Amino acid sequence: GGVSERTDGQGTPGIDDTSLGGMAAEIHKMRLAAGADSAAASAMGGAAGLGVDGKPINLPGQKAPEDQPGMDIVPEPGFVLKTKRASDELKTFLNVCQHAELGKPGLKKRLDPDGNEVEGMNVPMSVGPPRAGKDKEGKDCLIFDMIVNPDVIVECGQNDGGKYKDFICHMGMQCIENKYKMELDKRYKLPKIRYIGDVESQRIQDRK
């Protein structure tokens, strides 16, 4: 599912040759940054890093993704978050997807900065690598997939004034920022679509 770097007109459909090389190189750099921070990505349930050719990136001292306990899953669409990258206002979409292999949300105890035990909401999620795409106007955009348990999507649809959905949206944006070293505009929109682009499989940690 990676973006081809070829500029001979045989690249990924829908991506202009003029912008293909730049977008592919940029996404390659973002994925490398995430792979270098594999421990943090793993802690957040992130998927294995993939190169622009769709092949796994193996960094020194890092196990090959196929050697790591995990599984490939194909998520079901949920809802879409639309925002933009703060540095250059590149339109960015987050497909919030669902799959039963992701753990259900629940309360989890942790230590606060002062060492006191506090209880907070724990929402297992897996954020996959970025890919290039086109918006409905044909302009370049970045697309991410975030997978959560179906219970999360159901709860996002509850009539609580949108508070839980807002919580999930901000958590997803924060995960992308931490994993891919980019800042997003927190003033997001929720277009009335369930998914943008073609649904892709994602490798998640085997949590069982």
Side-chain angles (χ1 to χ4, degrees):
V3 177
S4 171
E5 284 187 292
R6 291 177 297 180
T7 55
D8 56 5
Q10 300 178 36
T12 300
I15 297 178
D16 295 336
D17 290 342
T18 52
S19 61
L20 180 62
M23 285 288 283
E26 186 176 1
I27 288 174
H28 183 52
K29 191 182 298 182
M30 290 169 65
R31 291 179 175 185
L32 276 173
D37 197 15
S38 57
S42 173
M44 291 188 289
L50 297 175
V52 290
D53 55 1
K55 295 179 181 178
I57 297 170
N58 294 326
L59 298 174
Q62 182 183 358
K63 286 185 178 180
E66 58 270 20
D67 295 337
Q68 297 173 345
M71 62 189 302
D72 293 312
I73 60 173
V74 178
E76 291 287 328
F79 64 91
V80 174
L81 176 159
K82 181 176 80 170
T83 182
K84 54 191 175 183
R85 189 164 57 183
S87 61
D88 58 3
E89 299 194 343
L90 177 66
K91 197 174 291 185
T92 303
F93 292 93
L94 174 61
N95 292 316
V96 183
C97 313
Q98 55 190 319
H99 198 287
E101 284 295 332
L102 271 291
K104 294 186 177 185
L107 296 175
K108 189 175 184 179
K109 291 182 178 179
R110 60 179 178 81
L111 296 178
D112 67 11
D114 296 325
N116 301 314
E117 192 176 81
V118 294
E119 199 169 50
M121 176 64 72
N122 177 50
V123 182
M125 58 177 57
S126 176
V127 175
R131 59 185 188 273
K134 293 285 184 182
D135 64 12
K136 63 182 181 181
E137 299 168 353
K139 295 180 180 178
D140 290 334
C141 65
L142 277 177
I143 303 173
F144 293 87
D145 284 354
M146 178 177 83
I147 310 175
V148 293
N149 186 275
D151 286 3
V152 176
I153 302 296
V154 171
E155 196 158 344
C156 282
Q158 300 300 315
N159 188 19
D160 67 345
K163 292 179 182 177
Y164 185 78
K165 197 171 193 176
D166 180 66
F167 167 69
I168 295 299
C169 288
H170 279 277
M171 184 176 284
M173 288 190 289
Q174 183 179 15
C175 191
I176 290 173
E177 289 183 330
N178 291 341
K179 187 175 180 181
Y180 293 104
K181 310 296 185 270
M182 59 181 281
E183 186 180 349
L184 296 172
D185 187 342
K186 304 305 185 296
R187 297 168 295 178
Y188 64 88
K189 293 181 180 179
L190 298 171
K192 293 183 178 179
I193 52 177
R194 298 185 63 210
Y195 196 93
I196 184 167
D198 297 320
V199 179
E200 296 195 359
S201 65
Q202 190 177 126
R203 188 167 185 85
I204 64 168
Q205 289 180 316
D206 188 355
R207 294 166 172 81
K208 296 181 179 178

